Amino acid sequence: MGLKIWLNDGLVDERDAKVSVFDHGLLYGDGVFEGIRVYNGNVFEGPAHLKRLYESAKVIMLDIPMDIETLADAMEQTVRANNVQEGYIRLIVTRGVGDLGLNPFICKNGATIIIASEIRLYPEELYEKGLKVVSVSSIRNHPLSCPPQVKSLNYLNNILAKIEAIQAGAAEAIMYNHLGYVAEASGDNVFTVRNGVVCAPPTQAGSLDGITRDVVIKLAKKEGIGVQEKDLTRFDLYVADEMFLTGTAAEVIGVVEMDGRVIGGGVPGPVTKRLRKLFFDYARS
Ligand code: PXG
C-alpha cells in the first residue's frame, strides 16, 4: 500500500497522484514549494511555512487556488491519513497546464500537491563530529533575477552547488552572492559564532528566510546569547570560533572544516551544541 497524497482538492492513492507533462512546474520549474517537519504528529511552524509559500507565490504572480486556512487543513488531513508521527511534508503548488511556450497566463489547473512521508536525516554521528563544507562557484540568484527569498521549484543553482560539494568530498556547499558575501548553504542557512556572539548573514545577502534560522535566532536571544545579522566574508567563516548550519532537515548541525581549514576546535563548539539542544527540545515540546 502506498501513501495517500493530497492532489488539488482531496486525498488520492499514490498511484493516482499524477500531473500533466504540460504542467509548467515540470516544463519550466514554474511553481513554489515548502519542506516542513512533523514532530509528534504536529506540523512544525506551519503558519510560518504557509506565509513563506504565499509570499513566494505572490512574487512570481502565481495564484494559489485555495486560502491559507484550507491549505493548512489539507496538510493536517494528509499527515493524519498517512499516520505520520515523525516525518516530513513536501507542499508544492505548480503553475499548471499550459502549452510549450513560457506564457504562464494561459496555464490552468495549477496542481496543489502535499506529500507527508518519512524524512532522511544526517546520521547521528555527523552531529557529534560535525560537517565538512566547501565554497562553491555557483552563486545565489541576483536580487534582480528571481529573488533568492522565493522558494521556487527551480533549484538548479543549488543543485550545481551540491554537485560541487559532493565532488569535493564535502557534505554541504557554501554559496556566495554576486558581491562575494556569504549567502547560505545549498539547503541550509549558515551561522558563525565569534567571541560568544552568534552571527548570520542577513537575508538580503541572498539566503532563504529560513524557518529554522528564525527559530534559532529567537531561542538564542531568549537565552541571552548575542545575535548579529551582518554580511560575512569567506575570511569570517575561516576564522570563526564555531560554525553551524540550520534547516528543516538538518535542524542545527556543526561545521568543523571548510575549504581545508579546521573551524574552531575541529569539533562542534559549545554554543552550537547548546543551540542544537534548545532547538531539539523546542521542536519536540
Ligand atoms: N536555504 C535553502 C536554499 C533551503 O532550501 C533552507 C535554507 C533552510 O530553511 P528552513 O526553512 O528549512 O529552515 C532551505 C530549506 C532537504 C531539505 O531535504 C532542504 C530544505 C528543506 C527541507 C528539506 O535537503 N531546505
Side-chain angles (χ1 to χ4, degrees), residues 3 11-12 43 60 69-70 75 80 97 128 148 157 161 170-171 176 188 207-208 227-229 238 251-253 268 281:
L3 296 172
L11 290 159
V12 298
V43 177
I60 68 163
E69 291 76 24
T70 312
M75 273 205 296
R80 269 183 267 122
V97 176
E128 307 289 329
N157 292 330
Y176 297 84
D188 295 300
S207 67
L208 191 74
V227 179
Q228 241 185 349
E229 290 186 59
Y238 290 160
E251 300 185 333
V252 177
I253 190 161
D281 294 345

Side-chain angles (χ1 to χ4, degrees), residues 8-155:
N8 301 325
D9 41 22
L11 290 159
V12 298
D13 286 333
E14 185 180 323
R15 62 171 181 275
D16 299 322
K18 295 190 174 127
V19 295
S20 166
V21 293
F22 290 98
D23 192 306
H24 280 205
L26 174 67
L27 289 176
Y28 295 113
D30 187 351
V32 292
F33 80 102
E34 283 294 320
I36 308 166
R37 279 292 274 276
V38 178
Y39 294 105
N40 304 321
N42 297 312
V43 177
F44 182 64
E45 299 288 313
H49 280 284
L50 287 168
K51 179 166 178 277
R52 189 168 69 184
L53 183 83
Y54 279 79
E55 286 181 355
S56 290
K58 179 177 185 179
V59 173
I60 68 163
M61 296 186 82
L62 170 68
D63 279 326
I64 296 181
M66 58 176 99
D67 64 29
I68 217 163
E69 291 76 24
T70 312
L71 194 48
D73 184 59
M75 273 205 296
E76 292 287 349
Q77 284 189 49
T78 311
V79 168
R80 269 183 267 122
N82 293 286
N83 197 18
V84 173
Q85 287 301 312
E86 303 297 322
Y88 179 70
I89 302 167
R90 176 61 55 96
L91 171 55
I92 304 155
V93 183
T94 71
R95 184 77 69 177
V97 176
D99 62 18
L100 294 177
L102 268 76
N103 185 359
F105 295 113
I106 62 168
C107 291
K108 301 232 158 47
N109 310 319
T112 303
I113 301 161
I114 307 172
I115 306 166
S117 183
E118 291 161 358
I119 184 162
R120 195 165 45 81
L121 301 169
Y122 282 131
E124 188 55 38
E125 196 197 357
L126 270 186
Y127 288 94
E128 307 289 329
K129 290 192 176 160
L131 294 181
K132 178 178 162 182
V133 301
V134 289
S135 294
V136 296
S137 62
S138 179
I139 65 168
R140 290 288 289 167
N141 274 358
H142 190 285
L144 296 178
S145 62
C146 182
Q149 287 88 359
V150 171
K151 200 164 164 69
S152 85
L153 288 180
N154 196 318
Y155 252 52

Side-chain angles (χ1 to χ4, degrees), residues 194-212:
R194 179 87 163 159
N195 301 324
V197 177
V198 170
C199 302
T203 50
Q204 297 95 297
S207 67
L208 191 74
D209 194 355
I211 310 293
T212 319

